[in-house]
Amino acid sequence: MRGAPDFEQPAWQPGTVINAGVYQAVQQPARGAAPPPPSDDPQFRRALARLLLRKLTSTLDEIHWLDDELVELTAIVEDVDGYPATRRRGLLRRRGRYATSPLSQALTRPKTDLILLQGQAGSGKSVALRQYATAQLRQIAEGRAPNAPLPVYVNLRELHAKPHEITTELLRRYIMEQTGPRGSADIAAYFTHCFADDLRERRVTLLLDSFDEIPAVLGSATVDAVVAPYVQTVIELVGGGGRCVVASREYKGLRANGWTRLHILGLSPQQQEDFLRRVGLDQRELALLQPLLTDPRRGFTAEAQNPLSLKLLATYVQAHHALPDRPSTLFADYAALRLRSVLAEAPNVQQRLADFLARFAFRLTASGGGLSVDERSHHEDLAKVAEEDPGTRVLLIRALSESRILVSSGRRVFFGHRRVQQYFASKYVADHPDAVAPHELATNGRWRETAVTVLQDGAPEVTEPLLRALAEVLAAERTDEAVFEWSPAAVHCLELLTAAYQGRASWPYETIRPLADALVAAAWERGSVSDRKFALDCLPLLSEEARELYIDRAFAGESGWLRTTALRDCATLPTLSPAIRGSVRRLLITMLGQKIPLAEAHAIKADLQRLREDEDLVRVRRVVERVPLGVVLLSIAYYVGLMAGSIWDALTLLVTPVMLLMPITLFWLFKSTQPLSYGVAKSRLRRFLEELFRRWIDMDKARADTDPFLMGMTLCGGVLTAAHLATAVEHLVKGNVSFAVIWVLTVPLAALAWIWGPSTLYVVRHGCPPGGLGVAGLVRMPLTALRMEEHPIHGLLADDWFRRALRSLRTHGSTLVTGMTIVGGLVYVALRYLWIATLVWASALALGVLTIIFDLIRSLFRDLRSRRRVTRAAERGSVGGPAFFSALHELRDTAEAAEYVRLVRAVPRAEPLALDRQALRRYIAELPETDSELLDELGRLDEQLRTR
């Protein structure tokens, strides 16, 4: 019958039919005609917010099979809005990583257009988006924030449009259908007339969830080719200036070309404790859980960093007052608990329903057509399980509905959470080993999550064939070629293994570890910087010796990208060996030589918080950062004491500033000595002085060693202490008691100004004793350092230092004599002609001030010209191809080239840059490692061009 509603709908109930009739009656007059435009009245915006809030609340009631506790998450942000931190002293904004907690602060950043929210399954992406949308909608609906951007939350799970079918109009209609109550005239009018303009004018924030669950993306073999049309459609829909947040897992998610990337980190120990207390665990239950959270041999340390798994773990402990034996037990117990609560009187039906869920999850995964089925086919499957018994069929439908393991949207049925589907699919594969061939399970991206779960919790008869299949793929990788490059198959298999075994102390590594060690060694020796970066991501698969080697190499290199990756990936290891802990402490000391933006400092703190060690590395870093300030304050206090204990004449005013600057200058030189630090990340001034020193003494290699430097400063501190005591005695003999007291009081200041800073860094480098970072411990740092067996002062008498000193004197004696003669002549002139020395001192000071002012002005104009030059080059090179390299070669230095590559990467695009990847890799191979900033940016571009 024409005009009648389509009653060919599966499993409609009478109420549904009545509501559909009302919907048809309301909408029938408007069929074929666009709804009238809404008014600009603020009341309409509040009413619209209430409609969206009502729809979102009903969605939450349907899909939340877990409670809505959300700990304050930490996200690492890769920013593309500002300007980079280069080695130049510019006045431009800086860009880099930074951490923010809670995550909602990053989502509300006003100047960010396109945001990619990434994280593992169950890390809190969807919950964070829904809570953000709910809070914002409630404020708008209640009139507390009438002009705030309207959040529009959409789950892309049911977007069945194929890549060649997707358009902005189709996506807009899908958003309208998913966000508002069906049949709402206000929703239809708004999306028809206002949505596009509001989105471009930033009056709307579009929140797109579950991008990686789009059916076509799930079933794709070539990820990039399928993802690109959807990304391009989102960019076109948002337009220039609009704001959109897309949540996705990293695997099969969109590439962050020109997007601000938010990566949700695992929960730190403090965040875990806060979360567990929030869900109701008492102190006894927390103490029971503690071994599971800290002992990697239990297999839960990595899983417990996930909010969803941690919630299930808390539920298990509350229900059983015991600990589970493996992570899969959490999902099995929770599903059984939910089913048992509604099927307590039918245990046979409960088992049949559990078997049905396993088959259903396997079918969804195997089909590649999405994560949901239509209700008709779902009810047909339930009828088969019920063996055509209507009563059993009704019981099954009620059990699934009340348990919320499965959720119905009215047309489609899907699992309440994808992790639950993964559990049931892996359970089916474990119970039916012949269901999927091991090679298919190892190489087909459709089965990746299932393979990860099987490797973590499967029986040996299931995991061993899968590990052999993975080993076959890795063994086929070529490691004997002159230039190494990861193949897509090897990347897939290693990512799968890393996801399965990160944070685990024991796993069946006999067949995998030798292959992983060989591949990583080849990548590090003959690969580019992007190959080395992926090698670091494989740290959980390597032997302990290999881990220590590559972490130390990454920290010691010039690449900031590799250093950051290595520090972040340390959190994926079950434990940190003493050598790795020493490397981390050494890195923290090395960072003193860097000018780290505050945002990057927050990211480093977040990385350190995730390292599960007895040593508080966050506090160690805080102490290391404040050591230079302590040295400056001690030097100033020492200078004040000298001035108070001396007669104020021209000589005193001329000489005492040297005593102020000397310990500060020597500490500045000491902190970059080796092996105290890695000797990288040096300032421009230090590089200039080292080059001057190298040429002056005619040495091919001049490297300041830590032990001689520390011994020299310790001896100077001791000599200065003796000199102060002698001066005090002299004043006392002359009857100047007050001066004598002052000089006695400045004795500890004289020693501390010279040796406290170096001693503190030395103790930190070798491992601070327990309680050594308190106030009392910091005051005793020189004594603590002197008691260490490694301190060079202990070898002063035992070592043949006199012979080495003579050998050094024969080698550099003429240089030393010349230098001492010049210094002695200057001192004589200063003492003999004070007015000349004062004039020279004042002239040098004035010249220094003028030089600084001139340098700042010149730097400002240079940065402005450089920015204009780089921007023009990026406009030409962003098209890719030969234009990219020709524009790159026109720039003046590597800092400009690095900024140019960064700007090209920051252009929002659906597909990777049209660039010959092999040509790019050849260009990278020709660059010296000292051009680290440019190498890092080209490496990130190379990583984006890698085929998925």
Side-chain angles (χ1 to χ4, degrees):
M1 184 174 69
R2 181 174 301 180
D6 184 10
F7 288 98
E8 296 294 319
Q9 299 291 336
W12 270 18
Q13 303 296 327
T16 310
V17 177
I18 293 173
N19 291 335
V22 173
Y23 166 73
Q24 183 69 22
V26 172
Q27 294 298 320
Q28 187 66 27
R31 175 168 294 195
S39 64
D40 293 334
D41 189 353
Q43 296 300 324
F44 172 78
R45 186 176 177 83
R46 296 180 59 180
L48 184 64
R50 286 193 291 269
L51 286 172
L52 295 177
L53 182 60
R54 186 187 313 160
K55 173 65 176 179
L56 183 59
T57 304
S58 65
T59 303
L60 296 180
D61 292 339
E62 292 173 357
I63 67 176
H64 272 300
W65 64 289
L66 283 175
D67 296 332
D68 205 23
E69 290 89 358
L70 178 66
V71 71
E72 290 187 351
L73 300 175
T74 301
I76 290 294
V77 181
E78 184 180 354
D79 191 5
V80 299
D81 291 330
Y83 292 94
T86 64
R87 291 177 182 172
R88 293 181 171 179
R89 291 182 301 165
L91 302 180
L92 304 178
R93 292 172 50 203
R94 298 181 179 271
R95 165 174 58 221
R97 300 187 322 145
Y98 69 91
T100 179
S101 179
L103 176 62
S104 57
Q105 292 181 3
L107 295 177
T108 55
R109 295 184 65 206
K111 295 184 179 180
T112 305
D113 295 336
L114 301 173
I115 299 177
L116 173 60
L117 179 61
Q118 289 184 328
Q120 297 180 353
S123 60
K125 302 182 298 295
S126 299
V127 176
L129 287 186
R130 291 193 290 260
Q131 284 198 343
Y132 169 75
T134 301
Q136 291 291 102
L137 287 172
R138 188 169 288 116
Q139 289 186 3
I140 297 173
E142 296 173 358
R144 289 181 289 157
N147 297 321
L150 191 72
V152 177
Y153 173 85
V154 184
N155 195 299
L156 300 177
R157 183 193 296 113
E158 298 182 35
L159 181 59
H160 289 276
K162 303 297 183 183
H164 64 277
E165 299 172 345
I166 189 67
T167 62
T168 55
E169 178 59 26
L170 193 150
L171 181 58
R172 185 191 64 80
R173 289 202 305 269
Y174 177 82
I175 293 172
M176 180 179 66
E177 294 171 358
Q178 294 291 319
T179 53
R182 195 171 302 170
S184 170
D186 289 341
I187 292 291
Y190 176 77
F191 276 92
T192 302
H193 299 283
C194 304
F195 175 71
D197 293 337
D198 282 1
L199 187 59
R200 285 175 172 80
E201 295 172 3
R202 303 178 71 89
R203 300 190 68 208
V204 165
T205 298
L206 186 58
L207 309 175
L208 302 179
D209 195 9
S210 304
F211 182 91
D212 57 306
E213 296 181 13
I214 297 175
V217 175
L218 275 174
S220 63
T222 56
V223 180
D224 291 330
V226 176
V227 165
Y230 297 99
V231 178
Q232 184 62 36
T233 303
V234 172
I235 294 175
E236 292 175 358
L237 180 67
V238 174
R243 192 161 191 270
C244 176
V245 182
V246 175
S248 170
R249 299 187 189 186
E250 189 169 0
Y251 183 71
K252 288 201 173 183
L254 67 158
R255 289 264 175 89
N257 298 332
W259 294 54
T260 295
R261 180 173 174 266
L262 278 66
H263 183 80
I264 300 178
L265 296 176
L267 300 178
S268 67
Q270 185 59 49
Q271 288 174 321
Q272 286 178 332
E273 182 177 348
D274 294 343
F275 184 90
L276 293 173
R277 291 185 184 278
R278 188 173 301 176
V279 298
L281 265 63
D282 56 28
Q283 193 61 38
R284 183 181 60 82
E285 292 168 332
L286 287 174
L288 178 65
L289 264 180
Q290 196 60 30
L292 216 61
L293 302 178
T294 57
D295 188 355
R297 294 172 296 179
R298 303 288 189 95
F300 282 85
T301 52
E303 196 74 20
Q305 296 180 30
N306 187 302
L308 176 62
S309 299
L310 194 60
K311 167 65 178 178
L312 292 178
L313 184 59
T315 302
Y316 186 95
V317 170
Q318 289 173 327
H320 300 279
H321 303 289
L323 298 178
D325 56 348
R326 58 179 60 188
S328 61
T329 305
L330 302 177
F331 290 93
D333 180 76
Y334 198 87
L337 181 65
R338 284 299 182 107
L339 294 177
R340 190 163 54 246
S341 63
V342 295
L343 295 173
E345 300 178 357
N348 58 332
V349 176
Q350 178 181 340
Q351 184 57 46
R352 288 158 60 185
L353 189 54
D355 295 338
F356 163 77
L357 290 172
R359 289 195 304 273
F360 180 55
F362 177 81
R363 190 181 75 173
L364 287 179
T365 307
S367 66
L371 300 180
S372 63
V373 298
D374 62 90
E375 284 201 353
R376 173 180 292 177
S377 61
H378 172 64
H379 283 274
E380 291 174 354
D381 291 340
L382 283 178
K384 295 177 182 178
V385 175
E387 299 176 352
E388 304 301 333
D389 181 5
T392 304
R393 176 174 173 273
V394 172
L395 182 62
L396 292 175
I397 294 175
R398 182 175 64 85
L400 289 175
S401 175
E402 295 181 4
S403 67
R404 294 185 181 180
I405 295 178
L406 293 183
V407 176
S408 172
S409 65
R411 293 168 295 183
R412 311 286 295 182
V413 177
F414 48 89
F415 278 90
H417 199 283
R418 191 172 168 186
R419 285 293 302 273
V420 185
Q421 176 182 330
Q422 293 173 14
Y423 159 71
F424 279 109
S426 62
K427 181 178 182 299
Y428 185 88
V429 172
D431 294 339
H432 304 80
D434 297 332
V436 185
H439 186 269
E440 176 78 4
L441 197 61
T443 58
N444 194 326
R446 181 183 305 168
W447 297 103
R448 180 181 184 272
E449 287 81 7
T450 302
V452 169
T453 308
V454 168
L455 288 175
Q456 289 176 336
D457 300 314
E461 57 269 19
V462 181
T463 59
E464 289 177 1
L466 178 55
L467 286 172
R468 285 196 297 269
L470 290 166
E472 291 175 1
V473 175
L474 297 180
E477 192 80 353
R478 296 293 301 272
T479 59
D480 54 351
E481 296 182 352
V483 178
F484 180 86
E485 181 180 353
W486 295 103
S487 69
V491 170
H492 170 81
C493 292
L494 289 172
E495 284 181 341
L496 189 155
L497 287 164
T498 302
Y501 295 128
Q502 65 176 356
R504 299 205 169 203
S506 60
W507 56 282
Y509 54 79
E510 292 80 7
T511 58
I512 299 296
R513 180 164 287 175
L515 296 171
D517 284 350
L519 289 174
V520 168
W524 200 272
E525 296 299 330
R526 301 191 299 277
S528 70
V529 63
S530 63
D531 298 316
R532 292 183 177 184
K533 187 265 180 184
F534 182 75
L536 291 173
D537 290 336
C538 300
L539 284 177
L541 307 178
L542 305 182
S543 61
E544 194 65 48
E545 296 78 9
R547 293 172 183 172
E548 295 172 356
L549 173 64
Y550 294 114
I551 289 174
D552 189 71
R553 286 185 176 181
F555 289 166
E558 295 282 349
S559 172
W561 189 29
L562 295 184
R563 282 199 300 271
T564 298
T565 300
L567 181 60
R568 181 201 65 204
D569 287 340
C570 283
T572 65
L573 302 179
T575 56
L576 299 185
S577 67
I580 295 178
R581 290 199 299 270
S583 296
V584 173
R585 293 194 298 269
R586 191 178 177 189
L587 175 67
L588 297 180
I589 296 174
T590 304
M591 289 179 178
L592 280 179
Q594 288 181 294
K595 188 176 181 181
I596 301 178
L598 182 61
E600 179 71 12
H602 288 315
I604 296 171
K605 178 182 177 181
D607 290 334
L608 294 175
Q609 286 176 334
R610 298 171 63 225
L611 301 180
R612 299 169 183 276
E613 293 297 317
D614 295 335
E615 186 177 12
D616 189 355
L617 291 174
V618 176
R619 189 171 185 180
V620 170
R621 178 173 176 270
R622 191 182 305 122
V623 169
V624 169
E625 283 183 330
R626 295 174 181 176
V627 168
L629 177 61
V631 172
V632 171
L633 294 178
L634 287 172
S635 300
I636 293 175
Y638 175 51
Y639 173 75
V640 172
L642 285 180
M643 296 297 293
S646 304
I647 300 175
W648 286 32
D649 54 13
L651 179 62
T652 301
L653 296 176
L654 186 65
V655 174
T656 49
V658 177
M659 303 303 295
L660 167 66
L661 297 176
M662 187 63 70
I664 298 176
T665 304
L666 290 178
F667 173 79
W668 176 71
L669 295 172
F670 174 79
K671 64 183 176 61
S672 294
T673 58
Q674 299 181 54
L676 178 73
S677 72
Y678 283 106
V680 295
K682 300 175 183 177
S683 63
R684 291 187 303 164
L685 178 59
R686 184 179 181 87
R687 293 175 187 272
F688 169 76
L689 292 178
E690 287 186 353
E691 183 65 24
L692 184 65
F693 180 69
R694 184 181 296 111
R695 294 181 179 181
W696 186 38
I697 64 175
D698 192 22
M699 291 180 62
D700 295 332
K701 182 179 180 182
R703 188 192 73 176
D705 291 327
T706 299
D707 286 353
F709 214 116
L710 179 63
M711 184 169 63
M713 293 190 69
T714 304
L715 291 177
C716 287
V719 170
L720 197 60
T721 300
H724 271 252
L725 291 176
T727 305
V729 172
E730 179 185 0
H731 281 296
L732 190 61
V733 171
K734 293 180 178 180
N736 298 327
V737 178
S738 59
F739 278 8
V741 172
I742 293 175
W743 279 89
V744 169
L745 293 177
T746 56
V747 166
L749 290 177
L752 290 175
W754 280 79
I755 66 175
W756 178 83
S759 298
T760 302
L761 295 186
Y762 195 79
V763 171
V764 168
R765 169 67 180 87
H766 290 84
C768 194
L773 296 180
V775 175
L778 290 175
V779 173
R780 295 193 305 267
M781 274 297 179
L783 297 178
T784 304
L786 290 172
R787 286 196 295 264
M788 295 176 61
E789 295 181 359
E790 299 88 349
H791 199 287
I793 201 68
H794 298 304
L796 183 61
L797 298 178
D799 195 9
D800 193 4
W801 61 273
F802 185 72
R803 181 178 301 175
R804 290 193 294 112
L806 288 178
R807 186 168 56 250
S808 177
L809 187 61
R810 286 197 302 269
T811 305
H812 309 296
S814 59
T815 303
L816 293 176
V817 170
T818 302
M820 293 177 64
T821 301
I822 294 174
V823 172
L826 292 176
V827 171
Y828 173 78
V829 170
L831 294 176
R832 185 72 176 81
Y833 304 102
L834 288 178
W835 66 272
I836 297 179
T838 304
L839 180 62
V840 172
W841 185 271
S843 300
L845 182 62
L847 181 62
V849 172
L850 292 176
T851 302
I852 292 175
I853 296 175
F854 174 76
D855 187 56
L856 286 176
I857 296 175
R858 186 183 64 173
S859 177
L860 174 61
F861 283 101
R862 183 181 60 185
D863 284 340
L864 292 176
R865 290 195 302 267
S866 175
R867 180 180 178 183
R868 183 168 59 251
R869 190 163 49 244
V870 171
T871 302
R872 291 175 179 175
E875 292 174 354
R876 299 192 306 271
S878 59
V879 298
F884 174 84
F885 292 104
S886 62
L888 177 62
H889 291 152
E890 293 174 2
L891 299 172
R892 294 190 174 183
D893 54 34
T894 55
E896 287 188 358
E899 171 63 2
Y900 159 77
V901 177
R902 191 179 289 112
L903 288 179
V904 172
R905 287 198 311 110
V907 176
R909 54 172 62 89
E911 298 179 351
L913 182 68
L915 194 64
D916 183 358
R917 187 178 180 222
Q918 296 306 319
L920 176 65
R921 291 175 65 86
R922 287 193 297 270
Y923 184 84
I924 293 174
E926 295 175 357
L927 291 174
E929 291 192 3
T930 52
D931 295 338
S932 59
E933 190 177 6
L934 177 58
L935 278 173
D936 286 350
E937 291 304 322
L938 291 173
R940 289 185 174 98
L941 181 60
D942 180 32
E943 187 181 49
Q944 290 179 355
L945 296 176
R946 182 186 295 153
T947 304
R948 293 189 299 171

